[in-house]
Amino acid sequence: MSNEPIALGAALASFDALWSPRIVTRVNDYDVRIAKVEGEHLWHAHDDTDEFFLVLEGELYISLRESAGERTVRLPRGSVFTVPRGTEHKPYAPTGAALLLFEPTGTPTVGDRHDEVPDHVDATTGHALGF
């Protein structure tokens, strides 16, 4: 990890892959990840951790399957949302978005329980930023 400031705009400009997060830095045992997204992810759940989303650019929707039924939250630019651990969810961005995520180091992008992983989703625990 760098001990120098990191400009998120430059970090986002350093890669094009969608649904393939890059690790910007670490805070204690958590990765701070950025990702470019467009289209749909997949239904999945993280059994042991919450998932934090901050929309840096664009707009993100997250469908949730909860005990009261299914609902969708809309996150415009600058919005934050935390998906509680164990909650099935599916992020999607019809017109694209850039995100910042906080997750425990080693957390897979497709969760612990998930649908079949489509080709456009990178099943990873995050990639090095590489710039």
Side-chain angles (χ1 to χ4, degrees), residues 22-128:
R22 301 304 192 259
I23 301 168
V24 177
T25 191
R26 289 196 170 93
V27 178
N28 298 315
D29 297 331
Y30 279 74
D31 289 343
V32 179
R33 302 176 184 179
I34 55 172
K36 293 179 178 179
V37 301
E38 188 171 347
E40 295 187 354
H41 196 263
L42 68 146
W43 281 106
H44 67 286
H46 301 276
D47 291 333
D48 298 318
T49 186
D50 301 333
E51 188 171 15
F52 173 88
F53 294 84
L54 165 62
V55 179
L56 299 171
E57 299 172 7
E59 184 173 66
L60 181 72
Y61 295 84
I62 304 175
S63 294
L64 304 155
R65 291 179 176 155
E66 301 170 311
S67 58
E70 196 171 299
R71 70 180 176 116
T72 299
V73 295
R74 176 183 162 270
L75 296 120
R77 180 181 177 170
S79 296
V80 299
F81 185 76
T82 300
V83 175
R85 70 189 69 205
T87 302
E88 285 186 279
H89 59 288
K90 180 173 82 171
Y92 62 97
T95 58
L99 311 175
L100 185 133
L101 307 117
F102 286 102
E103 296 182 295
T105 298
T107 300
T109 56
V110 295
D112 304 305
R113 294 178 284 121
H114 54 78
D115 288 347
E116 184 174 334
V117 179
D119 291 340
H120 71 278
V121 172
D122 185 8
T124 181
T125 57
H127 298 283

